[in-house]
Amino acid sequence: MSRFVVRASGPLSGTVEVSGATKNSGLKQMAAALLVPGVTRLRNMPRVSDLDVMAELLRAIGARVELAPDNEVVIDASNGLQPEAPYELVTRMRASINVLGPLLARCGEARVALPGGDNIGSRKVDMHLRGFEAMGAEIDVRHGFVHARAAQLAGARVVLEFPSVGATENLMTAAVLAKGTTVIDNAAREPEIADLAAFLNRMGGQVVGAGTATIEIEGVEELAPVDSAIMADRVEAGTLLMACGIAGGEIELVGTRLEHIEIVVMKLGEMGMRVSPTPDGLWARCDTRLSAVDVATLPHPGFATDFMPLAVALLAVANGTAIVTENVYDGRFQFVDELVRMGADVRTEGRHAIVRGVGRLSGAPVSASDVRAGAALTLAGLAADGETVVHDCHHVDRGYADLPGKLRSLGADVTSC
Ligand code: EPU
């Protein structure tokens, strides 16, 4: 089981290139490659551990997947697909549900294990299923599996109850090969949705409006395989900015875009940090103890829930008291108890956390409960006296491509063992 060992080592300094968003964007494009009988190449896909799970899943389905050099992934879904996603893989990674749409569209049926909840809360798929039903699929949920059938999906108007990222992606992907026009209303507007739509359009899909609340997809008869690059990881970029807020210093991030993390940058500005766009990415400087601000998570373009644990770590050492409200997941404050073990003053009540900044934390052995919780505890270690050992960092490696290495390249003392 991997652990990160962190010691405070003063302000950060330097330039780092932000990795591709394998987990939150690339995996969905791997799933969408199942739509095409041909060889798809995806570039800028660093080797996070969820990539191995998606590769295993696509192989179980019958695709040939090669993790090629230079962060390239090659998927050959030419023939022989078995439209079934086994429990062992779905339970390891929720993004497995993203194969449901492509399999249904390509094979006319799919049998996918139901993902359960996880360490950040209950994570249902009802909106995915209602959307496929609206598109004419017959859905049968039994014995822990979803069995979906539709000889030919038909375009439909789907109104999502909540702008779910996964439901928007799954429905949009399947709709590309449906007969007629699909409109997804109250669609998620995350940049990863626009990245997926651009990929589908490169293959010959007709998707308009991705990145807005209404996406219109005109079904096409067939798609062609393409060679495509994944967007930069905005959560990694935000994580490194927060690291700079916690440790102080001056850093430059190459490859990221301000408009992908605008609210995070705005909040950091309100706290007293300077962040501005550069021709290649973002520049940030923090030479003072930051002031507390309230934070409430919301779907994009609001403050993303994936930044919330990092924000709590930052607020734990800021000046003043902040109220943090988590509106997306019902169990994402689990990591708070670990932060409290490091001397943070945080109290949670339902969807809220009250964070009283204490200035300095105290290094301790702690445990990561999910990917962002582990990153938050690692960052907290940068402002803690003594040594912090973050256990269970396999969670962090699911989504970050070598977070310790990235922090080290900015002068931090973080090692992985
Ligand atoms: N929801 C439902 N029914 C559904 C779908 C979602 O009730 O049919 C609820 C979920 O239970 C949850 C909320 O809606 O409370 C948001 O879920 P959403 O579908 O938007 O999230 P997701 O697609 O499962 C992706 C990211 C998450 C990120 C969310 C929100 C990936 C692989 N995962 O999950 O990333 O938090 O969008 O932005 O892209 C992370 O990176 O740490 C992470 C958890």
Side-chain angles (χ1 to χ4, degrees), residues 23-24 28 94 122-128 164-166 306 328-329 332 371-372:
K23 173 177 167 295
N24 288 12
K28 326 302 177 60
R94 182 186 159 83
S122 59
R123 301 185 71 179
K124 292 185 285 182
V125 292
D126 54 324
M127 284 185 261
H128 300 234
S164 154
V165 171
D306 298 341
V328 179
Y329 294 113
R332 209 167 199 180
V371 51
R372 310 304 168 197

mmCIF file with all atom_site columns, all heavy atoms in Angstrom, residues 23-24 28 94 122-128 164-166 306 328-329 332 371-372, ligand 1:
data_model
loop_
_atom_site.group_PDB
_atom_site.id
_atom_site.type_symbol
_atom_site.label_atom_id
_atom_site.label_alt_id
_atom_site.label_comp_id
_atom_site.label_asym_id
_atom_site.label_entity_id
_atom_site.label_seq_id
_atom_site.pdbx_PDB_ins_code
_atom_site.Cartn_x
_atom_site.Cartn_y
_atom_site.Cartn_z
_atom_site.occupancy
_atom_site.B_iso_or_equiv
_atom_site.pdbx_formal_charge
_atom_site.auth_seq_id
_atom_site.auth_comp_id
_atom_site.auth_asym_id
_atom_site.auth_atom_id
_atom_site.pdbx_PDB_model_num
ATOM   1   N N   . LYS A 1 23  ? -8.084  10.620 -15.672 1.00 0.00 ? 23  LYS A N   1
ATOM   2   C CA  . LYS A 1 23  ? -9.226  10.077 -14.910 1.00 0.00 ? 23  LYS A CA  1
ATOM   3   C C   . LYS A 1 23  ? -10.552 10.744 -15.303 1.00 0.00 ? 23  LYS A C   1
ATOM   4   O O   . LYS A 1 23  ? -11.507 10.048 -15.636 1.00 0.00 ? 23  LYS A O   1
ATOM   5   C CB  . LYS A 1 23  ? -8.973  10.235 -13.411 1.00 0.00 ? 23  LYS A CB  1
ATOM   6   C CG  . LYS A 1 23  ? -10.166 9.849  -12.549 1.00 0.00 ? 23  LYS A CG  1
ATOM   7   C CD  . LYS A 1 23  ? -9.831  9.952  -11.079 1.00 0.00 ? 23  LYS A CD  1
ATOM   8   C CE  . LYS A 1 23  ? -11.065 9.877  -10.217 1.00 0.00 ? 23  LYS A CE  1
ATOM   9   N NZ  . LYS A 1 23  ? -11.991 11.005 -10.402 1.00 0.00 ? 23  LYS A NZ  1
ATOM   10  N N   . ASN A 1 24  ? -10.600 12.072 -15.276 1.00 0.00 ? 24  ASN A N   1
ATOM   11  C CA  . ASN A 1 24  ? -11.913 12.703 -15.441 1.00 0.00 ? 24  ASN A CA  1
ATOM   12  C C   . ASN A 1 24  ? -12.302 12.980 -16.890 1.00 0.00 ? 24  ASN A C   1
ATOM   13  O O   . ASN A 1 24  ? -13.455 13.292 -17.171 1.00 0.00 ? 24  ASN A O   1
ATOM   14  C CB  . ASN A 1 24  ? -11.994 13.967 -14.591 1.00 0.00 ? 24  ASN A CB  1
ATOM   15  C CG  . ASN A 1 24  ? -12.103 13.627 -13.096 1.00 0.00 ? 24  ASN A CG  1
ATOM   16  O OD1 . ASN A 1 24  ? -11.886 12.481 -12.712 1.00 0.00 ? 24  ASN A OD1 1
ATOM   17  N ND2 . ASN A 1 24  ? -12.425 14.592 -12.282 1.00 0.00 ? 24  ASN A ND2 1
ATOM   18  N N   . LYS A 1 28  ? -13.384 8.470  -20.165 1.00 0.00 ? 28  LYS A N   1
ATOM   19  C CA  . LYS A 1 28  ? -14.676 8.546  -20.867 1.00 0.00 ? 28  LYS A CA  1
ATOM   20  C C   . LYS A 1 28  ? -14.467 8.407  -22.374 1.00 0.00 ? 28  LYS A C   1
ATOM   21  O O   . LYS A 1 28  ? -15.300 7.864  -23.083 1.00 0.00 ? 28  LYS A O   1
ATOM   22  C CB  . LYS A 1 28  ? -15.392 9.872  -20.582 1.00 0.00 ? 28  LYS A CB  1
ATOM   23  C CG  . LYS A 1 28  ? -15.196 10.456 -19.197 1.00 0.00 ? 28  LYS A CG  1
ATOM   24  C CD  . LYS A 1 28  ? -15.638 9.516  -18.095 1.00 0.00 ? 28  LYS A CD  1
ATOM   25  C CE  . LYS A 1 28  ? -15.383 10.072 -16.696 1.00 0.00 ? 28  LYS A CE  1
ATOM   26  N NZ  . LYS A 1 28  ? -16.054 11.300 -16.395 1.00 0.00 ? 28  LYS A NZ  1
ATOM   27  N N   . ARG A 1 94  ? -15.946 3.714  -10.639 1.00 0.00 ? 94  ARG A N   1
ATOM   28  C CA  . ARG A 1 94  ? -17.298 4.102  -11.023 1.00 0.00 ? 94  ARG A CA  1
ATOM   29  C C   . ARG A 1 94  ? -17.403 4.509  -12.497 1.00 0.00 ? 94  ARG A C   1
ATOM   30  O O   . ARG A 1 94  ? -18.436 4.292  -13.135 1.00 0.00 ? 94  ARG A O   1
ATOM   31  C CB  . ARG A 1 94  ? -17.743 5.250  -10.121 1.00 0.00 ? 94  ARG A CB  1
ATOM   32  C CG  . ARG A 1 94  ? -19.125 5.703  -10.393 1.00 0.00 ? 94  ARG A CG  1
ATOM   33  C CD  . ARG A 1 94  ? -19.469 6.919  -9.579  1.00 0.00 ? 94  ARG A CD  1
ATOM   34  N NE  . ARG A 1 94  ? -20.582 7.598  -10.199 1.00 0.00 ? 94  ARG A NE  1
ATOM   35  C CZ  . ARG A 1 94  ? -21.833 7.262  -10.017 1.00 0.00 ? 94  ARG A CZ  1
ATOM   36  N NH1 . ARG A 1 94  ? -22.135 6.264  -9.230  1.00 0.00 ? 94  ARG A NH1 1
ATOM   37  N NH2 . ARG A 1 94  ? -22.799 7.913  -10.639 1.00 0.00 ? 94  ARG A NH2 1
ATOM   38  N N   . SER A 1 122 ? -23.282 8.353  -1.630  1.00 0.00 ? 122 SER A N   1
ATOM   39  C CA  . SER A 1 122 ? -24.054 7.471  -2.507  1.00 0.00 ? 122 SER A CA  1
ATOM   40  C C   . SER A 1 122 ? -23.909 8.004  -3.929  1.00 0.00 ? 122 SER A C   1
ATOM   41  O O   . SER A 1 122 ? -23.858 9.219  -4.142  1.00 0.00 ? 122 SER A O   1
ATOM   42  C CB  . SER A 1 122 ? -25.523 7.457  -2.081  1.00 0.00 ? 122 SER A CB  1
ATOM   43  O OG  . SER A 1 122 ? -26.037 8.760  -2.135  1.00 0.00 ? 122 SER A OG  1
ATOM   44  N N   . ARG A 1 123 ? -23.790 7.111  -4.871  1.00 0.00 ? 123 ARG A N   1
ATOM   45  C CA  . ARG A 1 123 ? -23.557 7.574  -6.250  1.00 0.00 ? 123 ARG A CA  1
ATOM   46  C C   . ARG A 1 123 ? -24.446 6.777  -7.188  1.00 0.00 ? 123 ARG A C   1
ATOM   47  O O   . ARG A 1 123 ? -24.054 5.764  -7.757  1.00 0.00 ? 123 ARG A O   1
ATOM   48  C CB  . ARG A 1 123 ? -22.065 7.438  -6.588  1.00 0.00 ? 123 ARG A CB  1
ATOM   49  C CG  . ARG A 1 123 ? -21.230 8.247  -5.612  1.00 0.00 ? 123 ARG A CG  1
ATOM   50  C CD  . ARG A 1 123 ? -19.779 8.263  -5.957  1.00 0.00 ? 123 ARG A CD  1
ATOM   51  N NE  . ARG A 1 123 ? -19.497 9.066  -7.141  1.00 0.00 ? 123 ARG A NE  1
ATOM   52  C CZ  . ARG A 1 123 ? -18.269 9.235  -7.603  1.00 0.00 ? 123 ARG A CZ  1
ATOM   53  N NH1 . ARG A 1 123 ? -17.244 8.689  -7.014  1.00 0.00 ? 123 ARG A NH1 1
ATOM   54  N NH2 . ARG A 1 123 ? -18.074 9.977  -8.692  1.00 0.00 ? 123 ARG A NH2 1
ATOM   55  N N   . LYS A 1 124 ? -25.655 7.313  -7.340  1.00 0.00 ? 124 LYS A N   1
ATOM   56  C CA  . LYS A 1 124 ? -26.663 6.573  -8.098  1.00 0.00 ? 124 LYS A CA  1
ATOM   57  C C   . LYS A 1 124 ? -26.477 6.735  -9.616  1.00 0.00 ? 124 LYS A C   1
ATOM   58  O O   . LYS A 1 124 ? -25.735 7.609  -10.059 1.00 0.00 ? 124 LYS A O   1
ATOM   59  C CB  . LYS A 1 124 ? -28.054 7.063  -7.687  1.00 0.00 ? 124 LYS A CB  1
ATOM   60  C CG  . LYS A 1 124 ? -28.385 6.674  -6.252  1.00 0.00 ? 124 LYS A CG  1
ATOM   61  C CD  . LYS A 1 124 ? -29.796 7.047  -5.900  1.00 0.00 ? 124 LYS A CD  1
ATOM   62  C CE  . LYS A 1 124 ? -29.903 8.524  -5.676  1.00 0.00 ? 124 LYS A CE  1
ATOM   63  N NZ  . LYS A 1 124 ? -31.217 9.002  -5.285  1.00 0.00 ? 124 LYS A NZ  1
ATOM   64  N N   . VAL A 1 125 ? -27.180 5.900  -10.381 1.00 0.00 ? 125 VAL A N   1
ATOM   65  C CA  . VAL A 1 125 ? -27.122 6.015  -11.853 1.00 0.00 ? 125 VAL A CA  1
ATOM   66  C C   . VAL A 1 125 ? -28.529 6.118  -12.442 1.00 0.00 ? 125 VAL A C   1
ATOM   67  O O   . VAL A 1 125 ? -28.736 5.863  -13.617 1.00 0.00 ? 125 VAL A O   1
ATOM   68  C CB  . VAL A 1 125 ? -26.347 4.836  -12.506 1.00 0.00 ? 125 VAL A CB  1
ATOM   69  C CG1 . VAL A 1 125 ? -24.878 4.890  -12.165 1.00 0.00 ? 125 VAL A CG1 1
ATOM   70  C CG2 . VAL A 1 125 ? -26.941 3.489  -12.125 1.00 0.00 ? 125 VAL A CG2 1
ATOM   71  N N   . ASP A 1 126 ? -29.497 6.507  -11.598 1.00 0.00 ? 126 ASP A N   1
ATOM   72  C CA  . ASP A 1 126 ? -30.891 6.548  -12.062 1.00 0.00 ? 126 ASP A CA  1
ATOM   73  C C   . ASP A 1 126 ? -31.088 7.478  -13.262 1.00 0.00 ? 126 ASP A C   1
ATOM   74  O O   . ASP A 1 126 ? -31.868 7.188  -14.171 1.00 0.00 ? 126 ASP A O   1
ATOM   75  C CB  . ASP A 1 126 ? -31.827 6.932  -10.898 1.00 0.00 ? 126 ASP A CB  1
ATOM   76  C CG  . ASP A 1 126 ? -31.407 8.221  -10.204 1.00 0.00 ? 126 ASP A CG  1
ATOM   77  O OD1 . ASP A 1 126 ? -30.184 8.468  -10.090 1.00 0.00 ? 126 ASP A OD1 1
ATOM   78  O OD2 . ASP A 1 126 ? -32.275 8.996  -9.783  1.00 0.00 ? 126 ASP A OD2 1
ATOM   79  N N   . MET A 1 127 ? -30.356 8.594  -13.283 1.00 0.00 ? 127 MET A N   1
ATOM   80  C CA  . MET A 1 127 ? -30.545 9.533  -14.399 1.00 0.00 ? 127 MET A CA  1
ATOM   81  C C   . MET A 1 127 ? -30.004 8.960  -15.714 1.00 0.00 ? 127 MET A C   1
ATOM   82  O O   . MET A 1 127 ? -30.554 9.219  -16.778 1.00 0.00 ? 127 MET A O   1
ATOM   83  C CB  . MET A 1 127 ? -29.847 10.856 -14.091 1.00 0.00 ? 127 MET A CB  1
ATOM   84  C CG  . MET A 1 127 ? -30.610 11.698 -13.094 1.00 0.00 ? 127 MET A CG  1
ATOM   85  S SD  . MET A 1 127 ? -29.816 13.281 -12.888 1.00 0.00 ? 127 MET A SD  1
ATOM   86  C CE  . MET A 1 127 ? -28.900 13.013 -11.417 1.00 0.00 ? 127 MET A CE  1
ATOM   87  N N   . HIS A 1 128 ? -28.915 8.181  -15.607 1.00 0.00 ? 128 HIS A N   1
ATOM   88  C CA  . HIS A 1 128 ? -28.386 7.516  -16.809 1.00 0.00 ? 128 HIS A CA  1
ATOM   89  C C   . HIS A 1 128 ? -29.509 6.612  -17.366 1.00 0.00 ? 128 HIS A C   1
ATOM   90  O O   . HIS A 1 128 ? -29.824 6.649  -18.556 1.00 0.00 ? 128 HIS A O   1
ATOM   91  C CB  . HIS A 1 128 ? -27.204 6.596  -16.482 1.00 0.00 ? 128 HIS A CB  1
ATOM   92  C CG  . HIS A 1 128 ? -26.010 7.256  -15.856 1.00 0.00 ? 128 HIS A CG  1
ATOM   93  N ND1 . HIS A 1 128 ? -24.756 7.134  -16.385 1.00 0.00 ? 128 HIS A ND1 1
ATOM   94  C CD2 . HIS A 1 128 ? -25.853 8.011  -14.744 1.00 0.00 ? 128 HIS A CD2 1
ATOM   95  C CE1 . HIS A 1 128 ? -23.889 7.780  -15.621 1.00 0.00 ? 128 HIS A CE1 1
ATOM   96  N NE2 . HIS A 1 128 ? -24.530 8.314  -14.617 1.00 0.00 ? 128 HIS A NE2 1
ATOM   97  N N   . SER A 1 164 ? -25.768 15.965 -13.960 1.00 0.00 ? 164 SER A N   1
ATOM   98  C CA  . SER A 1 164 ? -24.801 14.892 -13.680 1.00 0.00 ? 164 SER A CA  1
ATOM   99  C C   . SER A 1 164 ? -23.780 14.792 -14.806 1.00 0.00 ? 164 SER A C   1
ATOM   100 O O   . SER A 1 164 ? -24.138 14.702 -15.986 1.00 0.00 ? 164 SER A O   1
ATOM   101 C CB  . SER A 1 164 ? -25.560 13.569 -13.550 1.00 0.00 ? 164 SER A CB  1
ATOM   102 O OG  . SER A 1 164 ? -24.731 12.475 -13.874 1.00 0.00 ? 164 SER A OG  1
ATOM   103 N N   . VAL A 1 165 ? -22.521 14.766 -14.418 1.00 0.00 ? 165 VAL A N   1
ATOM   104 C CA  . VAL A 1 165 ? -21.436 14.651 -15.398 1.00 0.00 ? 165 VAL A CA  1
ATOM   105 C C   . VAL A 1 165 ? -21.530 13.296 -16.105 1.00 0.00 ? 165 VAL A C   1
ATOM   106 O O   . VAL A 1 165 ? -21.557 13.203 -17.339 1.00 0.00 ? 165 VAL A O   1
ATOM   107 C CB  . VAL A 1 165 ? -20.063 14.814 -14.686 1.00 0.00 ? 165 VAL A CB  1
ATOM   108 C CG1 . VAL A 1 165 ? -18.911 14.492 -15.624 1.00 0.00 ? 165 VAL A CG1 1
ATOM   109 C CG2 . VAL A 1 165 ? -19.927 16.211 -14.106 1.00 0.00 ? 165 VAL A CG2 1
ATOM   110 N N   . GLY A 1 166 ? -21.607 12.228 -15.307 1.00 0.00 ? 166 GLY A N   1
ATOM   111 C CA  . GLY A 1 166 ? -21.612 10.880 -15.883 1.00 0.00 ? 166 GLY A CA  1
ATOM   112 C C   . GLY A 1 166 ? -22.822 10.647 -16.781 1.00 0.00 ? 166 GLY A C   1
ATOM   113 O O   . GLY A 1 166 ? -22.691 10.072 -17.872 1.00 0.00 ? 166 GLY A O   1
ATOM   114 N N   . ASP A 1 306 ? -14.583 18.526 -6.322  1.00 0.00 ? 306 ASP A N   1
ATOM   115 C CA  . ASP A 1 306 ? -13.270 17.870 -6.255  1.00 0.00 ? 306 ASP A CA  1
ATOM   116 C C   . ASP A 1 306 ? -12.211 18.774 -5.612  1.00 0.00 ? 306 ASP A C   1
ATOM   117 O O   . ASP A 1 306 ? -11.165 18.298 -5.175  1.00 0.00 ? 306 ASP A O   1
ATOM   118 C CB  . ASP A 1 306 ? -12.819 17.425 -7.651  1.00 0.00 ? 306 ASP A CB  1
ATOM   119 C CG  . ASP A 1 306 ? -13.780 16.397 -8.228  1.00 0.00 ? 306 ASP A CG  1
ATOM   120 O OD1 . ASP A 1 306 ? -14.533 15.786 -7.447  1.00 0.00 ? 306 ASP A OD1 1
ATOM   121 O OD2 . ASP A 1 306 ? -13.784 16.211 -9.456  1.00 0.00 ? 306 ASP A OD2 1
ATOM   122 N N   . VAL A 1 328 ? -22.777 18.537 -3.544  1.00 0.00 ? 328 VAL A N   1
ATOM   123 C CA  . VAL A 1 328 ? -22.834 17.510 -4.591  1.00 0.00 ? 328 VAL A CA  1
ATOM   124 C C   . VAL A 1 328 ? -22.883 16.090 -4.012  1.00 0.00 ? 328 VAL A C   1
ATOM   125 O O   . VAL A 1 328 ? -23.665 15.259 -4.467  1.00 0.00 ? 328 VAL A O   1
ATOM   126 C CB  . VAL A 1 328 ? -21.660 17.672 -5.580  1.00 0.00 ? 328 VAL A CB  1
ATOM   127 C CG1 . VAL A 1 328 ? -21.694 16.596 -6.665  1.00 0.00 ? 328 VAL A CG1 1
ATOM   128 C CG2 . VAL A 1 328 ? -21.687 19.065 -6.215  1.00 0.00 ? 328 VAL A CG2 1
ATOM   129 N N   . TYR A 1 329 ? -22.051 15.805 -3.020  1.00 0.00 ? 329 TYR A N   1
ATOM   130 C CA  . TYR A 1 329 ? -22.010 14.457 -2.421  1.00 0.00 ? 329 TYR A CA  1
ATOM   131 C C   . TYR A 1 329 ? -22.487 14.504 -0.977  1.00 0.00 ? 329 TYR A C   1
ATOM   132 O O   . TYR A 1 329 ? -22.308 15.507 -0.295  1.00 0.00 ? 329 TYR A O   1
ATOM   133 C CB  . TYR A 1 329 ? -20.585 13.896 -2.468  1.00 0.00 ? 329 TYR A CB  1
ATOM   134 C CG  . TYR A 1 329 ? -20.101 13.639 -3.872  1.00 0.00 ? 329 TYR A CG  1
ATOM   135 C CD1 . TYR A 1 329 ? -19.064 14.390 -4.414  1.00 0.00 ? 329 TYR A CD1 1
ATOM   136 C CD2 . TYR A 1 329 ? -20.677 12.658 -4.663  1.00 0.00 ? 329 TYR A CD2 1
ATOM   137 C CE1 . TYR A 1 329 ? -18.611 14.168 -5.698  1.00 0.00 ? 329 TYR A CE1 1
ATOM   138 C CE2 . TYR A 1 329 ? -20.242 12.426 -5.951  1.00 0.00 ? 329 TYR A CE2 1
ATOM   139 C CZ  . TYR A 1 329 ? -19.208 13.183 -6.471  1.00 0.00 ? 329 TYR A CZ  1
ATOM   140 O OH  . TYR A 1 329 ? -18.777 12.952 -7.750  1.00 0.00 ? 329 TYR A OH  1
ATOM   141 N N   . ARG A 1 332 ? -18.759 13.572 1.695   1.00 0.00 ? 332 ARG A N   1
ATOM   142 C CA  . ARG A 1 332 ? -17.401 13.924 1.306   1.00 0.00 ? 332 ARG A CA  1
ATOM   143 C C   . ARG A 1 332 ? -16.576 14.564 2.429   1.00 0.00 ? 332 ARG A C   1
ATOM   144 O O   . ARG A 1 332 ? -15.473 15.046 2.190   1.00 0.00 ? 332 ARG A O   1
ATOM   145 C CB  . ARG A 1 332 ? -17.408 14.813 0.064   1.00 0.00 ? 332 ARG A CB  1
ATOM   146 C CG  . ARG A 1 332 ? -16.141 14.596 -0.723  1.00 0.00 ? 332 ARG A CG  1
ATOM   147 C CD  . ARG A 1 332 ? -16.114 15.143 -2.112  1.00 0.00 ? 332 ARG A CD  1
ATOM   148 N NE  . ARG A 1 332 ? -15.044 14.450 -2.845  1.00 0.00 ? 332 ARG A NE  1
ATOM   149 C CZ  . ARG A 1 332 ? -14.720 14.670 -4.094  1.00 0.00 ? 332 ARG A CZ  1
ATOM   150 N NH1 . ARG A 1 332 ? -15.364 15.551 -4.799  1.00 0.00 ? 332 ARG A NH1 1
ATOM   151 N NH2 . ARG A 1 332 ? -13.750 13.987 -4.660  1.00 0.00 ? 332 ARG A NH2 1
ATOM   152 N N   . VAL A 1 371 ? -9.419  9.982  -3.509  1.00 0.00 ? 371 VAL A N   1
ATOM   153 C CA  . VAL A 1 371 ? -8.331  10.624 -4.260  1.00 0.00 ? 371 VAL A CA  1
ATOM   154 C C   . VAL A 1 371 ? -8.057  12.058 -3.800  1.00 0.00 ? 371 VAL A C   1
ATOM   155 O O   . VAL A 1 371 ? -6.917  12.436 -3.527  1.00 0.00 ? 371 VAL A O   1
ATOM   156 C CB  . VAL A 1 371 ? -8.591  10.518 -5.795  1.00 0.00 ? 371 VAL A CB  1
ATOM   157 C CG1 . VAL A 1 371 ? -9.952  10.989 -6.198  1.00 0.00 ? 371 VAL A CG1 1
ATOM   158 C CG2 . VAL A 1 371 ? -7.546  11.234 -6.610  1.00 0.00 ? 371 VAL A CG2 1
ATOM   159 N N   . ARG A 1 372 ? -9.103  12.866 -3.664  1.00 0.00 ? 372 ARG A N   1
ATOM   160 C CA  . ARG A 1 372 ? -8.873  14.277 -3.306  1.00 0.00 ? 372 ARG A CA  1
ATOM   161 C C   . ARG A 1 372 ? -8.591  14.432 -1.818  1.00 0.00 ? 372 ARG A C   1
ATOM   162 O O   . ARG A 1 372 ? -7.873  15.345 -1.416  1.00 0.00 ? 372 ARG A O   1
ATOM   163 C CB  . ARG A 1 372 ? -10.062 15.139 -3.706  1.00 0.00 ? 372 ARG A CB  1
ATOM   164 C CG  . ARG A 1 372 ? -10.532 14.960 -5.142  1.00 0.00 ? 372 ARG A CG  1
ATOM   165 C CD  . ARG A 1 372 ? -9.459  15.195 -6.188  1.00 0.00 ? 372 ARG A CD  1
ATOM   166 N NE  . ARG A 1 372 ? -9.904  14.735 -7.508  1.00 0.00 ? 372 ARG A NE  1
ATOM   167 C CZ  . ARG A 1 372 ? -9.109  14.513 -8.535  1.00 0.00 ? 372 ARG A CZ  1
ATOM   168 N NH1 . ARG A 1 372 ? -7.806  14.703 -8.440  1.00 0.00 ? 372 ARG A NH1 1
ATOM   169 N NH2 . ARG A 1 372 ? -9.592  14.084 -9.686  1.00 0.00 ? 372 ARG A NH2 1
HETATM 170 N N1  . EPU B 2 .   ? -26.320 11.342 -9.247  1.00 0.00 ? 1   EPU B N1  1
HETATM 171 C C1  . EPU B 2 .   ? -27.565 10.753 -9.086  1.00 0.00 ? 1   EPU B C1  1
HETATM 172 N N2  . EPU B 2 .   ? -28.059 10.001 -10.108 1.00 0.00 ? 1   EPU B N2  1
HETATM 173 C C2  . EPU B 2 .   ? -27.362 9.804  -11.269 1.00 0.00 ? 1   EPU B C2  1
HETATM 174 C C3  . EPU B 2 .   ? -26.091 10.398 -11.429 1.00 0.00 ? 1   EPU B C3  1
HETATM 175 C C4  . EPU B 2 .   ? -25.598 11.169 -10.387 1.00 0.00 ? 1   EPU B C4  1
HETATM 176 O O1  . EPU B 2 .   ? -28.206 10.908 -8.051  1.00 0.00 ? 1   EPU B O1  1
HETATM 177 O O2  . EPU B 2 .   ? -27.878 9.114  -12.172 1.00 0.00 ? 1   EPU B O2  1
HETATM 178 C C5  . EPU B 2 .   ? -25.762 12.151 -8.151  1.00 0.00 ? 1   EPU B C5  1
HETATM 179 C C6  . EPU B 2 .   ? -24.554 11.459 -7.532  1.00 0.00 ? 1   EPU B C6  1
HETATM 180 O O3  . EPU B 2 .   ? -24.954 10.543 -6.537  1.00 0.00 ? 1   EPU B O3  1
HETATM 181 C C7  . EPU B 2 .   ? -23.768 12.612 -6.990  1.00 0.00 ? 1   EPU B C7  1
HETATM 182 C C8  . EPU B 2 .   ? -24.082 13.758 -7.963  1.00 0.00 ? 1   EPU B C8  1
HETATM 183 O O4  . EPU B 2 .   ? -25.260 13.365 -8.667  1.00 0.00 ? 1   EPU B O4  1
HETATM 184 O O5  . EPU B 2 .   ? -24.219 12.959 -5.705  1.00 0.00 ? 1   EPU B O5  1
HETATM 185 C C9  . EPU B 2 .   ? -22.974 14.093 -8.937  1.00 0.00 ? 1   EPU B C9  1
HETATM 186 O O6  . EPU B 2 .   ? -22.695 12.987 -9.739  1.00 0.00 ? 1   EPU B O6  1
HETATM 187 P P1  . EPU B 2 .   ? -22.121 13.110 -11.231 1.00 0.00 ? 1   EPU B P1  1
HETATM 188 O O7  . EPU B 2 .   ? -22.848 12.114 -12.061 1.00 0.00 ? 1   EPU B O7  1
HETATM 189 O O8  . EPU B 2 .   ? -22.126 14.534 -11.654 1.00 0.00 ? 1   EPU B O8  1
HETATM 190 O O9  . EPU B 2 .   ? -20.612 12.663 -11.003 1.00 0.00 ? 1   EPU B O9  1
HETATM 191 P P2  . EPU B 2 .   ? -19.805 11.490 -11.704 1.00 0.00 ? 1   EPU B P2  1
HETATM 192 O O10 . EPU B 2 .   ? -19.940 11.572 -13.156 1.00 0.00 ? 1   EPU B O10 1
HETATM 193 O O11 . EPU B 2 .   ? -20.106 10.215 -11.024 1.00 0.00 ? 1   EPU B O11 1
HETATM 194 C C10 . EPU B 2 .   ? -17.609 12.902 -12.038 1.00 0.00 ? 1   EPU B C10 1
HETATM 195 C C11 . EPU B 2 .   ? -16.184 12.815 -11.575 1.00 0.00 ? 1   EPU B C11 1
HETATM 196 C C12 . EPU B 2 .   ? -16.109 13.092 -10.090 1.00 0.00 ? 1   EPU B C12 1
HETATM 197 C C13 . EPU B 2 .   ? -16.697 14.470 -9.835  1.00 0.00 ? 1   EPU B C13 1
HETATM 198 C C14 . EPU B 2 .   ? -18.129 14.560 -10.382 1.00 0.00 ? 1   EPU B C14 1
HETATM 199 C C15 . EPU B 2 .   ? -18.743 15.945 -10.240 1.00 0.00 ? 1   EPU B C15 1
HETATM 200 C C16 . EPU B 2 .   ? -15.117 11.235 -13.017 1.00 0.00 ? 1   EPU B C16 1
HETATM 201 C C17 . EPU B 2 .   ? -14.510 9.891  -13.196 1.00 0.00 ? 1   EPU B C17 1
HETATM 202 N N3  . EPU B 2 .   ? -15.645 11.498 -11.849 1.00 0.00 ? 1   EPU B N3  1
HETATM 203 O O12 . EPU B 2 .   ? -18.322 11.892 -11.307 1.00 0.00 ? 1   EPU B O12 1
HETATM 204 O O13 . EPU B 2 .   ? -14.732 13.086 -9.767  1.00 0.00 ? 1   EPU B O13 1
HETATM 205 O O14 . EPU B 2 .   ? -16.718 14.717 -8.448  1.00 0.00 ? 1   EPU B O14 1
HETATM 206 O O15 . EPU B 2 .   ? -18.132 14.200 -11.771 1.00 0.00 ? 1   EPU B O15 1
HETATM 207 O O16 . EPU B 2 .   ? -17.967 16.901 -10.871 1.00 0.00 ? 1   EPU B O16 1
HETATM 208 O O17 . EPU B 2 .   ? -15.123 12.048 -13.934 1.00 0.00 ? 1   EPU B O17 1
HETATM 209 C C18 . EPU B 2 .   ? -12.894 13.108 -8.318  1.00 0.00 ? 1   EPU B C18 1
HETATM 210 O O18 . EPU B 2 .   ? -12.224 13.365 -9.310  1.00 0.00 ? 1   EPU B O18 1
HETATM 211 O O19 . EPU B 2 .   ? -12.452 13.134 -7.149  1.00 0.00 ? 1   EPU B O19 1
HETATM 212 C C19 . EPU B 2 .   ? -14.301 12.725 -8.513  1.00 0.00 ? 1   EPU B C19 1
HETATM 213 C C20 . EPU B 2 .   ? -15.039 12.148 -7.589  1.00 0.00 ? 1   EPU B C20 1
#
